[in-house]
Each structure stands twice: as structure tokens, then as C-alpha cells.
Amino acid sequence: MTDSEPRGEGYEAQHVHSVYEEIASHFSSTRYKPWPIVERFLKELPDGSIGADVGCGNGKYLAVNKKVFIVGSDRSTNLIKIAKEHQPHAAVVADNLSLPHPFGCFDFAISIAVIHHLSTPERRVEAVQAVLNLLRPPSGGNKNSGRVLIYVWALEQKDSRRGWDEGHEQDVMVPWVLKSGERTKKEKGQKTQRDGVVNSPPEETVAPAPKEDKTFLRYYHLYRKEELEHDIDEAGGTVLESGYEKDNWWAIASPRQQT
């Protein structure tokens, strides 16, 4: 990353969106286990709730709670092809800052490891606001109704293999290495199970192994402690709960009540 390269939509197209299009199949093969707090949030929702997963990736959270319906969205067409396997849930290609949904149409939302890919403070706040705008007002005292769960990578992760911590540069490029001859689990013949039926993966989700090692660099903004809460406040939200889990800061928020 160079200081002379202006950040914004074009920067993210090059250093985020195009990368995930290239690595979608291999990336998906490494993303299959729900994080505990996300799983808890989804399973505590009232039956029949309808929600949004903004930046859903391969859709691994869409079917965590079979008693709710989720509409996933992601900029990557290749990841959305994989996410659509999680029937009966929906998945559409959409940008976080240009979501196709009407305001106030969902009971809940999640945004997991997405907003840290926005490359300016203003765009990150706008991304939080876009998700908050989707929510209906809380109703009936139901836990998690009218709320969003947001996760972002933390700056403070000195015990991780990355070794980042306070004082480190917050705007970084993170490599994803696709090794020569490396095949995804699906390429090796692993079958998927959906609604009790075992199926072979669709052909379009399988990427050929590269002929030589290829490294892709993805842009991340590493959030320091309380920065996510600040962005939620700036976006017009109220933080209801927050914490740290596995090198990530997370927060549950709702739109600020108008007085």
C-alpha cells in the first residue's frame, strides 16, 4: 500500500473485491465453522424473524438457525454462487453502500468481518449506517429484535500469529497465498449436504489449482479498542453490548431512538 494511492471505491475494487473474486473457492473451503457469539445471536432470535447478512461471503451463517429466514448479500459474484447453496435462504450480489433493500424491512442483521474492508473512516461509518437503516424498530421485547451484530478485525491481537498490537499501522495489506497444486476441499471430491440430501458441488464453484504459487493482497483497517463503538455512534446507532473474541472486536447495536 502506498500513501500516494487514494483510497475509496476504486481502491477497494482493486484491493478487496477483485481479490475475493479470484480466491472465492479456496476462501470458502476455509470458512465453515460459525463463531460462537454469532451463532448465539442467531439462535436467540424469535422464530419467524427475517434478517440480513451483509457481506455474507459463502453464506456459512445463513442456515445456522433454521427457524429464521436470512437474505445474504456480497459484492463477490463467485461467493454468492456458493452462498446460494444454503436453501431456502436468499443471496444476492450487492455493495454494502448500495444495498437494494428498503429501509426498516428486517428484524435483525449481521455484518461479520466486512466493514474493516472499507478504506476510509467516512466509508466505514457509512457502511455501519447502511446496515442500521435496514432494521425495524424493536418490538415485543424480543431479544435481538431490531439489532445488528457487527464484527471487525482488532488491532490488539499480540497473541495471534499475525502479532499486531497497539502502535502498529492500522491500515494493512494481508496476504492470501494460493499454493501451486493446492486444491479446495470441494475439488478433492468432498460432497455437500443440504436439507438431508448429499450433493456434488456445482461446477461453477470449483476453481482450478494454480500452476504456481500466487499471492493476493487484501486491504484491512484494523480497529483499535472502542473504535467500532465510535463508528456505531457516528452512524446513528446505540451500542447495547460489545466485546472481544478471537482477534476481533464485536458489538450489538440498534438504531438510536429519535426524541
Side-chain angles (χ1 to χ4, degrees), residues 222-246:
L222 306 177
Y223 271 72
R224 61 162 49 97
K225 185 177 181 180
E226 298 182 353
E227 186 176 356
L228 176 58
E229 288 89 336
H230 171 270
D231 283 0
I232 290 170
D233 181 71
E234 287 289 302
T238 298
V239 176
L240 306 171
E241 188 179 352
S242 62
Y244 182 92
E245 183 194 35
K246 295 182 179 179

mmCIF file with all atom_site columns, all heavy atoms in Angstrom, residues 222-246:
data_model
loop_
_atom_site.group_PDB
_atom_site.id
_atom_site.type_symbol
_atom_site.label_atom_id
_atom_site.label_alt_id
_atom_site.label_comp_id
_atom_site.label_asym_id
_atom_site.label_entity_id
_atom_site.label_seq_id
_atom_site.pdbx_PDB_ins_code
_atom_site.Cartn_x
_atom_site.Cartn_y
_atom_site.Cartn_z
_atom_site.occupancy
_atom_site.B_iso_or_equiv
_atom_site.pdbx_formal_charge
_atom_site.auth_seq_id
_atom_site.auth_comp_id
_atom_site.auth_asym_id
_atom_site.auth_atom_id
_atom_site.pdbx_PDB_model_num
ATOM 1   N N   . LEU A 1 222 ? -7.486  -2.215  10.683 1.00 0.00 ? 222 LEU A N   1
ATOM 2   C CA  . LEU A 1 222 ? -7.502  -2.881  11.983 1.00 0.00 ? 222 LEU A CA  1
ATOM 3   C C   . LEU A 1 222 ? -8.087  -1.927  13.025 1.00 0.00 ? 222 LEU A C   1
ATOM 4   O O   . LEU A 1 222 ? -7.548  -0.841  13.256 1.00 0.00 ? 222 LEU A O   1
ATOM 5   C CB  . LEU A 1 222 ? -6.084  -3.297  12.382 1.00 0.00 ? 222 LEU A CB  1
ATOM 6   C CG  . LEU A 1 222 ? -5.329  -4.155  11.365 1.00 0.00 ? 222 LEU A CG  1
ATOM 7   C CD1 . LEU A 1 222 ? -3.914  -4.436  11.871 1.00 0.00 ? 222 LEU A CD1 1
ATOM 8   C CD2 . LEU A 1 222 ? -6.075  -5.461  11.091 1.00 0.00 ? 222 LEU A CD2 1
ATOM 9   N N   . TYR A 1 223 ? -9.174  -2.342  13.637 1.00 0.00 ? 223 TYR A N   1
ATOM 10  C CA  . TYR A 1 223 ? -9.869  -1.500  14.610 1.00 0.00 ? 223 TYR A CA  1
ATOM 11  C C   . TYR A 1 223 ? -9.191  -1.555  15.977 1.00 0.00 ? 223 TYR A C   1
ATOM 12  O O   . TYR A 1 223 ? -8.934  -2.641  16.500 1.00 0.00 ? 223 TYR A O   1
ATOM 13  C CB  . TYR A 1 223 ? -11.317 -1.958  14.753 1.00 0.00 ? 223 TYR A CB  1
ATOM 14  C CG  . TYR A 1 223 ? -12.278 -1.314  13.790 1.00 0.00 ? 223 TYR A CG  1
ATOM 15  C CD1 . TYR A 1 223 ? -12.267 -1.648  12.438 1.00 0.00 ? 223 TYR A CD1 1
ATOM 16  C CD2 . TYR A 1 223 ? -13.203 -0.367  14.224 1.00 0.00 ? 223 TYR A CD2 1
ATOM 17  C CE1 . TYR A 1 223 ? -13.152 -1.057  11.554 1.00 0.00 ? 223 TYR A CE1 1
ATOM 18  C CE2 . TYR A 1 223 ? -14.098 0.229   13.350 1.00 0.00 ? 223 TYR A CE2 1
ATOM 19  C CZ  . TYR A 1 223 ? -14.067 -0.115  12.012 1.00 0.00 ? 223 TYR A CZ  1
ATOM 20  O OH  . TYR A 1 223 ? -14.946 0.460   11.141 1.00 0.00 ? 223 TYR A OH  1
ATOM 21  N N   . ARG A 1 224 ? -8.941  -0.392  16.554 1.00 0.00 ? 224 ARG A N   1
ATOM 22  C CA  . ARG A 1 224 ? -8.447  -0.354  17.931 1.00 0.00 ? 224 ARG A CA  1
ATOM 23  C C   . ARG A 1 224 ? -9.626  -0.375  18.899 1.00 0.00 ? 224 ARG A C   1
ATOM 24  O O   . ARG A 1 224 ? -10.785 -0.183  18.496 1.00 0.00 ? 224 ARG A O   1
ATOM 25  C CB  . ARG A 1 224 ? -7.576  0.875   18.177 1.00 0.00 ? 224 ARG A CB  1
ATOM 26  C CG  . ARG A 1 224 ? -8.286  2.204   17.988 1.00 0.00 ? 224 ARG A CG  1
ATOM 27  C CD  . ARG A 1 224 ? -7.511  3.350   18.657 1.00 0.00 ? 224 ARG A CD  1
ATOM 28  N NE  . ARG A 1 224 ? -6.115  3.342   18.296 1.00 0.00 ? 224 ARG A NE  1
ATOM 29  C CZ  . ARG A 1 224 ? -5.576  4.075   17.344 1.00 0.00 ? 224 ARG A CZ  1
ATOM 30  N NH1 . ARG A 1 224 ? -6.361  4.861   16.623 1.00 0.00 ? 224 ARG A NH1 1
ATOM 31  N NH2 . ARG A 1 224 ? -4.311  4.033   17.077 1.00 0.00 ? 224 ARG A NH2 1
ATOM 32  N N   . LYS A 1 225 ? -9.342  -0.626  20.152 1.00 0.00 ? 225 LYS A N   1
ATOM 33  C CA  . LYS A 1 225 ? -10.367 -0.709  21.185 1.00 0.00 ? 225 LYS A CA  1
ATOM 34  C C   . LYS A 1 225 ? -11.249 0.537   21.179 1.00 0.00 ? 225 LYS A C   1
ATOM 35  O O   . LYS A 1 225 ? -10.744 1.666   21.108 1.00 0.00 ? 225 LYS A O   1
ATOM 36  C CB  . LYS A 1 225 ? -9.719  -0.873  22.565 1.00 0.00 ? 225 LYS A CB  1
ATOM 37  C CG  . LYS A 1 225 ? -10.705 -1.087  23.690 1.00 0.00 ? 225 LYS A CG  1
ATOM 38  C CD  . LYS A 1 225 ? -9.980  -1.304  25.011 1.00 0.00 ? 225 LYS A CD  1
ATOM 39  C CE  . LYS A 1 225 ? -10.978 -1.555  26.138 1.00 0.00 ? 225 LYS A CE  1
ATOM 40  N NZ  . LYS A 1 225 ? -10.274 -1.767  27.440 1.00 0.00 ? 225 LYS A NZ  1
ATOM 41  N N   . GLU A 1 226 ? -12.572 0.337   21.188 1.00 0.00 ? 226 GLU A N   1
ATOM 42  C CA  . GLU A 1 226 ? -13.618 1.366   21.240 1.00 0.00 ? 226 GLU A CA  1
ATOM 43  C C   . GLU A 1 226 ? -13.816 2.104   19.920 1.00 0.00 ? 226 GLU A C   1
ATOM 44  O O   . GLU A 1 226 ? -14.701 2.959   19.825 1.00 0.00 ? 226 GLU A O   1
ATOM 45  C CB  . GLU A 1 226 ? -13.357 2.364   22.382 1.00 0.00 ? 226 GLU A CB  1
ATOM 46  C CG  . GLU A 1 226 ? -13.373 1.699   23.754 1.00 0.00 ? 226 GLU A CG  1
ATOM 47  C CD  . GLU A 1 226 ? -13.169 2.684   24.889 1.00 0.00 ? 226 GLU A CD  1
ATOM 48  O OE1 . GLU A 1 226 ? -12.888 3.883   24.616 1.00 0.00 ? 226 GLU A OE1 1
ATOM 49  O OE2 . GLU A 1 226 ? -13.287 2.260   26.059 1.00 0.00 ? 226 GLU A OE2 1
ATOM 50  N N   . GLU A 1 227 ? -13.046 1.775   18.886 1.00 0.00 ? 227 GLU A N   1
ATOM 51  C CA  . GLU A 1 227 ? -13.242 2.440   17.592 1.00 0.00 ? 227 GLU A CA  1
ATOM 52  C C   . GLU A 1 227 ? -14.536 1.991   16.928 1.00 0.00 ? 227 GLU A C   1
ATOM 53  O O   . GLU A 1 227 ? -15.233 2.805   16.304 1.00 0.00 ? 227 GLU A O   1
ATOM 54  C CB  . GLU A 1 227 ? -12.053 2.158   16.673 1.00 0.00 ? 227 GLU A CB  1
ATOM 55  C CG  . GLU A 1 227 ? -12.098 2.928   15.362 1.00 0.00 ? 227 GLU A CG  1
ATOM 56  C CD  . GLU A 1 227 ? -10.865 2.702   14.503 1.00 0.00 ? 227 GLU A CD  1
ATOM 57  O OE1 . GLU A 1 227 ? -9.926  2.011   14.948 1.00 0.00 ? 227 GLU A OE1 1
ATOM 58  O OE2 . GLU A 1 227 ? -10.854 3.215   13.366 1.00 0.00 ? 227 GLU A OE2 1
ATOM 59  N N   . LEU A 1 228 ? -14.881 0.718   17.060 1.00 0.00 ? 228 LEU A N   1
ATOM 60  C CA  . LEU A 1 228 ? -16.140 0.241   16.486 1.00 0.00 ? 228 LEU A CA  1
ATOM 61  C C   . LEU A 1 228 ? -17.325 0.924   17.161 1.00 0.00 ? 228 LEU A C   1
ATOM 62  O O   . LEU A 1 228 ? -18.279 1.352   16.480 1.00 0.00 ? 228 LEU A O   1
ATOM 63  C CB  . LEU A 1 228 ? -16.249 -1.280  16.637 1.00 0.00 ? 228 LEU A CB  1
ATOM 64  C CG  . LEU A 1 228 ? -17.554 -1.915  16.157 1.00 0.00 ? 228 LEU A CG  1
ATOM 65  C CD1 . LEU A 1 228 ? -17.819 -1.608  14.695 1.00 0.00 ? 228 LEU A CD1 1
ATOM 66  C CD2 . LEU A 1 228 ? -17.528 -3.421  16.385 1.00 0.00 ? 228 LEU A CD2 1
ATOM 67  N N   . GLU A 1 229 ? -17.270 1.068   18.483 1.00 0.00 ? 229 GLU A N   1
ATOM 68  C CA  . GLU A 1 229 ? -18.343 1.751   19.194 1.00 0.00 ? 229 GLU A CA  1
ATOM 69  C C   . GLU A 1 229 ? -18.461 3.210   18.720 1.00 0.00 ? 229 GLU A C   1
ATOM 70  O O   . GLU A 1 229 ? -19.576 3.733   18.574 1.00 0.00 ? 229 GLU A O   1
ATOM 71  C CB  . GLU A 1 229 ? -18.081 1.717   20.707 1.00 0.00 ? 229 GLU A CB  1
ATOM 72  C CG  . GLU A 1 229 ? -18.267 0.345   21.339 1.00 0.00 ? 229 GLU A CG  1
ATOM 73  C CD  . GLU A 1 229 ? -17.004 -0.496  21.331 1.00 0.00 ? 229 GLU A CD  1
ATOM 74  O OE1 . GLU A 1 229 ? -16.122 -0.243  20.471 1.00 0.00 ? 229 GLU A OE1 1
ATOM 75  O OE2 . GLU A 1 229 ? -16.885 -1.404  22.174 1.00 0.00 ? 229 GLU A OE2 1
ATOM 76  N N   . HIS A 1 230 ? -17.326 3.840   18.463 1.00 0.00 ? 230 HIS A N   1
ATOM 77  C CA  . HIS A 1 230 ? -17.330 5.214   17.949 1.00 0.00 ? 230 HIS A CA  1
ATOM 78  C C   . HIS A 1 230 ? -18.019 5.286   16.592 1.00 0.00 ? 230 HIS A C   1
ATOM 79  O O   . HIS A 1 230 ? -18.856 6.175   16.342 1.00 0.00 ? 230 HIS A O   1
ATOM 80  C CB  . HIS A 1 230 ? -15.897 5.725   17.831 1.00 0.00 ? 230 HIS A CB  1
ATOM 81  C CG  . HIS A 1 230 ? -15.775 7.033   17.112 1.00 0.00 ? 230 HIS A CG  1
ATOM 82  N ND1 . HIS A 1 230 ? -15.596 7.128   15.742 1.00 0.00 ? 230 HIS A ND1 1
ATOM 83  C CD2 . HIS A 1 230 ? -15.829 8.319   17.569 1.00 0.00 ? 230 HIS A CD2 1
ATOM 84  C CE1 . HIS A 1 230 ? -15.542 8.389   15.386 1.00 0.00 ? 230 HIS A CE1 1
ATOM 85  N NE2 . HIS A 1 230 ? -15.670 9.147   16.472 1.00 0.00 ? 230 HIS A NE2 1
ATOM 86  N N   . ASP A 1 231 ? -17.694 4.353   15.699 1.00 0.00 ? 231 ASP A N   1
ATOM 87  C CA  . ASP A 1 231 ? -18.302 4.365   14.362 1.00 0.00 ? 231 ASP A CA  1
ATOM 88  C C   . ASP A 1 231 ? -19.809 4.123   14.434 1.00 0.00 ? 231 ASP A C   1
ATOM 89  O O   . ASP A 1 231 ? -20.578 4.726   13.668 1.00 0.00 ? 231 ASP A O   1
ATOM 90  C CB  . ASP A 1 231 ? -17.649 3.296   13.483 1.00 0.00 ? 231 ASP A CB  1
ATOM 91  C CG  . ASP A 1 231 ? -16.278 3.727   12.968 1.00 0.00 ? 231 ASP A CG  1
ATOM 92  O OD1 . ASP A 1 231 ? -15.837 4.847   13.296 1.00 0.00 ? 231 ASP A OD1 1
ATOM 93  O OD2 . ASP A 1 231 ? -15.653 2.931   12.239 1.00 0.00 ? 231 ASP A OD2 1
ATOM 94  N N   . ILE A 1 232 ? -20.228 3.254   15.338 1.00 0.00 ? 232 ILE A N   1
ATOM 95  C CA  . ILE A 1 232 ? -21.669 2.998   15.501 1.00 0.00 ? 232 ILE A CA  1
ATOM 96  C C   . ILE A 1 232 ? -22.369 4.261   15.984 1.00 0.00 ? 232 ILE A C   1
ATOM 97  O O   . ILE A 1 232 ? -23.448 4.622   15.490 1.00 0.00 ? 232 ILE A O   1
ATOM 98  C CB  . ILE A 1 232 ? -21.892 1.824   16.473 1.00 0.00 ? 232 ILE A CB  1
ATOM 99  C CG1 . ILE A 1 232 ? -21.440 0.519   15.822 1.00 0.00 ? 232 ILE A CG1 1
ATOM 100 C CG2 . ILE A 1 232 ? -23.363 1.725   16.890 1.00 0.00 ? 232 ILE A CG2 1
ATOM 101 C CD1 . ILE A 1 232 ? -21.387 -0.666  16.765 1.00 0.00 ? 232 ILE A CD1 1
ATOM 102 N N   . ASP A 1 233 ? -21.762 4.959   16.923 1.00 0.00 ? 233 ASP A N   1
ATOM 103 C CA  . ASP A 1 233 ? -22.338 6.210   17.425 1.00 0.00 ? 233 ASP A CA  1
ATOM 104 C C   . ASP A 1 233 ? -22.423 7.250   16.314 1.00 0.00 ? 233 ASP A C   1
ATOM 105 O O   . ASP A 1 233 ? -23.446 7.929   16.153 1.00 0.00 ? 233 ASP A O   1
ATOM 106 C CB  . ASP A 1 233 ? -21.499 6.727   18.593 1.00 0.00 ? 233 ASP A CB  1
ATOM 107 C CG  . ASP A 1 233 ? -22.060 8.005   19.186 1.00 0.00 ? 233 ASP A CG  1
ATOM 108 O OD1 . ASP A 1 233 ? -23.126 7.940   19.839 1.00 0.00 ? 233 ASP A OD1 1
ATOM 109 O OD2 . ASP A 1 233 ? -21.449 9.082   18.979 1.00 0.00 ? 233 ASP A OD2 1
ATOM 110 N N   . GLU A 1 234 ? -21.348 7.368   15.527 1.00 0.00 ? 234 GLU A N   1
ATOM 111 C CA  . GLU A 1 234 ? -21.336 8.323   14.417 1.00 0.00 ? 234 GLU A CA  1
ATOM 112 C C   . GLU A 1 234 ? -22.392 7.984   13.369 1.00 0.00 ? 234 GLU A C   1
ATOM 113 O O   . GLU A 1 234 ? -22.932 8.882   12.708 1.00 0.00 ? 234 GLU A O   1
ATOM 114 C CB  . GLU A 1 234 ? -19.954 8.329   13.754 1.00 0.00 ? 234 GLU A CB  1
ATOM 115 C CG  . GLU A 1 234 ? -18.873 9.004   14.553 1.00 0.00 ? 234 GLU A CG  1
ATOM 116 C CD  . GLU A 1 234 ? -19.043 10.504  14.614 1.00 0.00 ? 234 GLU A CD  1
ATOM 117 O OE1 . GLU A 1 234 ? -19.085 11.132  13.537 1.00 0.00 ? 234 GLU A OE1 1
ATOM 118 O OE2 . GLU A 1 234 ? -19.156 11.052  15.724 1.00 0.00 ? 234 GLU A OE2 1
ATOM 119 N N   . ALA A 1 235 ? -22.708 6.703   13.243 1.00 0.00 ? 235 ALA A N   1
ATOM 120 C CA  . ALA A 1 235 ? -23.686 6.251   12.247 1.00 0.00 ? 235 ALA A CA  1
ATOM 121 C C   . ALA A 1 235 ? -25.125 6.356   12.738 1.00 0.00 ? 235 ALA A C   1
ATOM 122 O O   . ALA A 1 235 ? -26.054 6.021   11.991 1.00 0.00 ? 235 ALA A O   1
ATOM 123 C CB  . ALA A 1 235 ? -23.383 4.810   11.850 1.00 0.00 ? 235 ALA A CB  1
ATOM 124 N N   . GLY A 1 236 ? -25.315 6.808   13.965 1.00 0.00 ? 236 GLY A N   1
ATOM 125 C CA  . GLY A 1 236 ? -26.668 6.961   14.490 1.00 0.00 ? 236 GLY A CA  1
ATOM 126 C C   . GLY A 1 236 ? -27.178 5.735   15.218 1.00 0.00 ? 236 GLY A C   1
ATOM 127 O O   . GLY A 1 236 ? -28.389 5.526   15.313 1.00 0.00 ? 236 GLY A O   1
ATOM 128 N N   . GLY A 1 237 ? -26.268 4.922   15.743 1.00 0.00 ? 237 GLY A N   1
ATOM 129 C CA  . GLY A 1 237 ? -26.667 3.720   16.457 1.00 0.00 ? 237 GLY A CA  1
ATOM 130 C C   . GLY A 1 237 ? -26.358 3.800   17.936 1.00 0.00 ? 237 GLY A C   1
ATOM 131 O O   . GLY A 1 237 ? -25.606 4.668   18.394 1.00 0.00 ? 237 GLY A O   1
ATOM 132 N N   . THR A 1 238 ? -26.945 2.886   18.674 1.00 0.00 ? 238 THR A N   1
ATOM 133 C CA  . THR A 1 238 ? -26.698 2.761   20.106 1.00 0.00 ? 238 THR A CA  1
ATOM 134 C C   . THR A 1 238 ? -26.088 1.388   20.371 1.00 0.00 ? 238 THR A C   1
ATOM 135 O O   . THR A 1 238 ? -26.655 0.370   19.979 1.00 0.00 ? 238 THR A O   1
ATOM 136 C CB  . THR A 1 238 ? -28.004 2.889   20.915 1.00 0.00 ? 238 THR A CB  1
ATOM 137 O OG1 . THR A 1 238 ? -28.555 4.197   20.697 1.00 0.00 ? 238 THR A OG1 1
ATOM 138 C CG2 . THR A 1 238 ? -27.754 2.684   22.405 1.00 0.00 ? 238 THR A CG2 1
ATOM 139 N N   . VAL A 1 239 ? -24.933 1.359   21.019 1.00 0.00 ? 239 VAL A N   1
ATOM 140 C CA  . VAL A 1 239 ? -24.270 0.102   21.342 1.00 0.00 ? 239 VAL A CA  1
ATOM 141 C C   . VAL A 1 239 ? -24.936 -0.513  22.571 1.00 0.00 ? 239 VAL A C   1
ATOM 142 O O   . VAL A 1 239 ? -25.043 0.124   23.620 1.00 0.00 ? 239 VAL A O   1
ATOM 143 C CB  . VAL A 1 239 ? -22.766 0.310   21.602 1.00 0.00 ? 239 VAL A CB  1
ATOM 144 C CG1 . VAL A 1 239 ? -22.111 -1.004  22.033 1.00 0.00 ? 239 VAL A CG1 1
ATOM 145 C CG2 . VAL A 1 239 ? -22.085 0.867   20.363 1.00 0.00 ? 239 VAL A CG2 1
ATOM 146 N N   . LEU A 1 240 ? -25.403 -1.751  22.425 1.00 0.00 ? 240 LEU A N   1
ATOM 147 C CA  . LEU A 1 240 ? -26.092 -2.443  23.506 1.00 0.00 ? 240 LEU A CA  1
ATOM 148 C C   . LEU A 1 240 ? -25.176 -3.421  24.227 1.00 0.00 ? 240 LEU A C   1
ATOM 149 O O   . LEU A 1 240 ? -25.371 -3.700  25.418 1.00 0.00 ? 240 LEU A O   1
ATOM 150 C CB  . LEU A 1 240 ? -27.304 -3.196  22.938 1.00 0.00 ? 240 LEU A CB  1
ATOM 151 C CG  . LEU A 1 240 ? -28.281 -2.346  22.129 1.00 0.00 ? 240 LEU A CG  1
ATOM 152 C CD1 . LEU A 1 240 ? -29.307 -3.222  21.442 1.00 0.00 ? 240 LEU A CD1 1
ATOM 153 C CD2 . LEU A 1 240 ? -28.964 -1.321  23.026 1.00 0.00 ? 240 LEU A CD2 1
ATOM 154 N N   . GLU A 1 241 ? -24.201 -3.947  23.512 1.00 0.00 ? 241 GLU A N   1
ATOM 155 C CA  . GLU A 1 241 ? -23.275 -4.920  24.075 1.00 0.00 ? 241 GLU A CA  1
ATOM 156 C C   . GLU A 1 241 ? -22.059 -4.951  23.158 1.00 0.00 ? 241 GLU A C   1
ATOM 157 O O   . GLU A 1 241 ? -22.182 -4.776  21.950 1.00 0.00 ? 241 GLU A O   1
ATOM 158 C CB  . GLU A 1 241 ? -23.947 -6.302  24.120 1.00 0.00 ? 241 GLU A CB  1
ATOM 159 C CG  . GLU A 1 241 ? -23.182 -7.384  24.846 1.00 0.00 ? 241 GLU A CG  1
ATOM 160 C CD  . GLU A 1 241 ? -23.924 -8.715  24.876 1.00 0.00 ? 241 GLU A CD  1
ATOM 161 O OE1 . GLU A 1 241 ? -25.104 -8.758  24.466 1.00 0.00 ? 241 GLU A OE1 1
ATOM 162 O OE2 . GLU A 1 241 ? -23.314 -9.716  25.290 1.00 0.00 ? 241 GLU A OE2 1
ATOM 163 N N   . SER A 1 242 ? -20.873 -5.157  23.733 1.00 0.00 ? 242 SER A N   1
ATOM 164 C CA  . SER A 1 242 ? -19.681 -5.233  22.895 1.00 0.00 ? 242 SER A CA  1
ATOM 165 C C   . SER A 1 242 ? -18.613 -6.049  23.605 1.00 0.00 ? 242 SER A C   1
ATOM 166 O O   . SER A 1 242 ? -18.693 -6.295  24.807 1.00 0.00 ? 242 SER A O   1
ATOM 167 C CB  . SER A 1 242 ? -19.148 -3.830  22.562 1.00 0.00 ? 242 SER A CB  1
ATOM 168 O OG  . SER A 1 242 ? -18.766 -3.139  23.738 1.00 0.00 ? 242 SER A OG  1
ATOM 169 N N   . GLY A 1 243 ? -17.612 -6.469  22.824 1.00 0.00 ? 243 GLY A N   1
ATOM 170 C CA  . GLY A 1 243 ? -16.556 -7.268  23.422 1.00 0.00 ? 243 GLY A CA  1
ATOM 171 C C   . GLY A 1 243 ? -15.496 -7.651  22.416 1.00 0.00 ? 243 GLY A C   1
ATOM 172 O O   . GLY A 1 243 ? -15.440 -7.122  21.296 1.00 0.00 ? 243 GLY A O   1
ATOM 173 N N   . TYR A 1 244 ? -14.667 -8.614  22.804 1.00 0.00 ? 244 TYR A N   1
ATOM 174 C CA  . TYR A 1 244 ? -13.524 -9.070  22.019 1.00 0.00 ? 244 TYR A CA  1
ATOM 175 C C   . TYR A 1 244 ? -13.586 -10.581 21.926 1.00 0.00 ? 244 TYR A C   1
ATOM 176 O O   . TYR A 1 244 ? -13.816 -11.263 22.925 1.00 0.00 ? 244 TYR A O   1
ATOM 177 C CB  . TYR A 1 244 ? -12.238 -8.636  22.726 1.00 0.00 ? 244 TYR A CB  1
ATOM 178 C CG  . TYR A 1 244 ? -10.948 -8.980  22.019 1.00 0.00 ? 244 TYR A CG  1
ATOM 179 C CD1 . TYR A 1 244 ? -10.352 -8.082  21.145 1.00 0.00 ? 244 TYR A CD1 1
ATOM 180 C CD2 . TYR A 1 244 ? -10.300 -10.184 22.263 1.00 0.00 ? 244 TYR A CD2 1
ATOM 181 C CE1 . TYR A 1 244 ? -9.141  -8.378  20.507 1.00 0.00 ? 244 TYR A CE1 1
ATOM 182 C CE2 . TYR A 1 244 ? -9.096  -10.497 21.631 1.00 0.00 ? 244 TYR A CE2 1
ATOM 183 C CZ  . TYR A 1 244 ? -8.516  -9.591  20.763 1.00 0.00 ? 244 TYR A CZ  1
ATOM 184 O OH  . TYR A 1 244 ? -7.336  -9.893  20.144 1.00 0.00 ? 244 TYR A OH  1
ATOM 185 N N   . GLU A 1 245 ? -13.417 -11.116 20.716 1.00 0.00 ? 245 GLU A N   1
ATOM 186 C CA  . GLU A 1 245 ? -13.408 -12.561 20.538 1.00 0.00 ? 245 GLU A CA  1
ATOM 187 C C   . GLU A 1 245 ? -12.481 -12.934 19.399 1.00 0.00 ? 245 GLU A C   1
ATOM 188 O O   . GLU A 1 245 ? -12.644 -12.466 18.274 1.00 0.00 ? 245 GLU A O   1
ATOM 189 C CB  . GLU A 1 245 ? -14.816 -13.101 20.234 1.00 0.00 ? 245 GLU A CB  1
ATOM 190 C CG  . GLU A 1 245 ? -14.828 -14.627 20.116 1.00 0.00 ? 245 GLU A CG  1
ATOM 191 C CD  . GLU A 1 245 ? -16.111 -15.186 19.498 1.00 0.00 ? 245 GLU A CD  1
ATOM 192 O OE1 . GLU A 1 245 ? -16.681 -14.530 18.610 1.00 0.00 ? 245 GLU A OE1 1
ATOM 193 O OE2 . GLU A 1 245 ? -16.510 -16.277 19.900 1.00 0.00 ? 245 GLU A OE2 1
ATOM 194 N N   . LYS A 1 246 ? -11.500 -13.776 19.687 1.00 0.00 ? 246 LYS A N   1
ATOM 195 C CA  . LYS A 1 246 ? -10.630 -14.355 18.661 1.00 0.00 ? 246 LYS A CA  1
ATOM 196 C C   . LYS A 1 246 ? -10.095 -13.309 17.686 1.00 0.00 ? 246 LYS A C   1
ATOM 197 O O   . LYS A 1 246 ? -10.301 -13.398 16.479 1.00 0.00 ? 246 LYS A O   1
ATOM 198 C CB  . LYS A 1 246 ? -11.366 -15.459 17.907 1.00 0.00 ? 246 LYS A CB  1
ATOM 199 C CG  . LYS A 1 246 ? -11.723 -16.654 18.785 1.00 0.00 ? 246 LYS A CG  1
ATOM 200 C CD  . LYS A 1 246 ? -12.411 -17.742 17.982 1.00 0.00 ? 246 LYS A CD  1
ATOM 201 C CE  . LYS A 1 246 ? -12.742 -18.936 18.875 1.00 0.00 ? 246 LYS A CE  1
ATOM 202 N NZ  . LYS A 1 246 ? -13.447 -20.008 18.130 1.00 0.00 ? 246 LYS A NZ  1
#
